[in-house]
Amino acid sequence: MPNDNLFFMVMEAEGDEMAAFDENAMAGDDAGGEDVAPPATDETGGSENVDDTAPDFSEDDFDMGGLGDATGDENSGGDEMSGDEGNGEEEADQKDDKLSTKANDILNQQLYTKFVARNKDIEGIITSIKDLVPLLPYDVVKSNDKTVNQLKSALQKGQEYVINDFVDSGYGENLLFYNKLDSLYVLLLNRIDSNLKKIKNN
């Protein structure tokens, strides 16, 4: 039996003869009772039946798997930190996008007001020129006729842009169109003004 072998090994550890033991205990063991425990050592460690020789261990006998887990945890933490930094950059980008969108909306609103006001000015000038036609010499009216029609056409394009395209376009695109249109307004108005000045000179 395994317990008998353990008993003999402990008793013969130092070459001593096997000590006598209780036959009743053996009988109990054979009868399926509790195994007989090896002799207890003295609290001072002085029992002569105890094997004092300890086995030699090398580093390979220890389970080093825990270090791998620790390393994995550290790497995992690094990944989390990298993830946090990535999230921080993403949040910063989103914040910048929101500020950019807000600034674009504010500038677009200001440009819209300016655009509408400029179109109204040109519309008023065209109305005034029309009212002056009966009072102007025929040659002046004829000279201005083409230019005034071009001004009306430019105004129509400006009004259509404000109604149909302005809201759906970015500030940069709207500003570019406004500047081009305004330059055309100024050019045509200067031509009309030059023709009107001929009356004063005559």
Side-chain angles (χ1 to χ4, degrees), residues 84-98:
D84 292 340
E85 292 177 357
N87 291 336
E89 293 177 357
E90 184 176 351
E91 290 177 358
D93 291 340
Q94 291 177 352
K95 186 176 181 180
D96 291 341
D97 290 341
K98 290 181 180 179

Side-chain angles (χ1 to χ4, degrees), residues 5-51:
N5 293 335
L6 177 63
F7 180 77
F8 281 110
M9 181 181 69
V10 173
M11 295 300 295
E12 295 176 354
E14 303 234 353
D16 295 336
E17 294 182 359
M18 184 175 66
F21 56 90
D22 190 354
E23 293 180 358
N24 293 331
M26 282 296 297
D29 183 51
D30 291 340
E34 296 181 356
D35 295 337
V36 177
T41 58
D42 187 17
E43 291 182 357
T44 60
S47 174
E48 61 183 4
N49 293 329
V50 178
D51 186 3

Side-chain angles (χ1 to χ4, degrees), residues 140-168:
V140 173
V141 173
K142 188 175 181 179
S143 298
N144 277 340
D145 190 54
K146 182 179 179 179
T147 306
V148 171
N149 287 334
Q150 290 175 337
L151 186 60
K152 289 180 181 179
S153 179
L155 174 61
Q156 183 177 357
K157 289 182 179 179
Q159 291 173 334
E160 289 177 351
Y161 185 88
V162 169
I163 296 173
N164 300 323
D165 302 322
F166 191 95
V167 176
D168 295 329

Side-chain angles (χ1 to χ4, degrees), residues 102-121:
K102 186 175 181 180
N104 182 81
D105 293 341
I106 293 174
L107 292 174
N108 248 351
Q109 184 177 0
Q110 294 175 348
L111 180 59
Y112 179 85
T113 302
K114 183 178 181 180
F115 208 148
V116 172
R118 182 57 168 163
N119 285 341
K120 287 183 177 180
D121 288 342

